[in-house]
Amino acid sequence: MQKEMFPFFYELRTRYAEVDSQGVVFNAHYLTYFDTVLTEYMRHIGYDYLGLVNACGLDFHLVKATVEYLAPIKFDESIQIGVVAGRIGNSSLTWIFGIFGPDESKPRAKGEIVWVCSKVGAYKAHPLPEDLTRLLRTQEILRESTGTPR
């Protein structure tokens, strides 16, 4: 995994409340970091996630989350969290994440989250919204046309 594969990063500084007694970020916070960059990415590409829920009655269920811890992240460190749509299926989206130090090309952590689209309250797969898949595929085409490796 290389830093260049990510079209979007969100930078934050780790907080005291996020570290454990060993002085490193507690493992559960990595999923919060993934969620944060995903929210910011949706905002960045102009996708109204709440509109999807309110207007269409669709939402996403998290069905898989993985984190690989490769190197420690400590208190008060600046980190860059990257996200890219790894796979766009019929009813699912796989997001790929990497957490890097500002001047690092190798990740400190990497992960994957799989979402499945569903009608609110139905708890069964539903096709992804066309506007979202079109927007994500446009982002992919733009990345490929600029020569950014994936």
Side-chain angles (χ1 to χ4, degrees):
M1 172 179 288
Q2 296 296 319
K3 199 172 193 176
E4 295 82 23
M5 74 179 275
F6 296 100
F8 181 80
F9 287 91
Y10 186 73
E11 189 166 337
L12 60 82
R13 185 170 295 281
T14 59
R15 297 164 288 255
Y16 180 77
E18 296 168 345
V19 299
D20 59 20
S21 61
Q22 299 171 24
V24 298
V25 172
F26 180 68
N27 57 46
H29 290 291
Y30 289 72
L31 292 172
T32 300
Y33 296 160
F34 293 169
D35 185 64
T36 301
V37 72
L38 198 44
T39 299
E40 294 300 327
Y41 180 62
M42 291 294 203
R43 180 177 289 120
H44 173 75
I45 65 173
Y47 193 73
D48 182 9
Y49 177 79
L50 289 178
L52 172 74
V53 176
N54 294 330
C56 301
L58 296 176
D59 204 351
F60 293 99
H61 296 279
L62 176 83
V63 297
K64 178 182 177 183
T66 62
V67 181
E68 290 183 54
Y69 307 95
L70 305 171
I73 300 171
K74 299 180 180 178
F75 166 65
D76 203 35
E77 278 195 81
S78 180
I79 56 173
Q80 296 173 333
I81 309 131
V83 63
V84 65
R87 180 181 175 280
I88 303 169
N90 292 324
S91 61
S92 67
L93 279 170
T94 301
W95 299 102
I96 308 297
F97 302 90
I99 301 178
F100 300 84
D103 299 318
E104 298 172 348
S105 60
K106 292 184 179 179
R108 304 263 193 103
K110 59 185 179 177
E112 178 183 280
I113 284 179
V114 178
W115 281 354
V116 172
C117 185
S118 175
K119 282 275 191 193
V120 174
Y123 306 105
K124 66 179 189 171
H126 183 279
L128 291 171
E130 288 183 26
D131 61 337
L132 177 58
T133 58
R134 187 172 40 256
L135 188 56
L136 292 174
R137 288 194 172 105
T138 300
Q139 295 298 312
E140 180 65 26
I141 290 167
L142 290 174
R143 182 171 48 259
E144 288 176 1
S145 70
T146 61
T148 304
R150 181 136 194 242

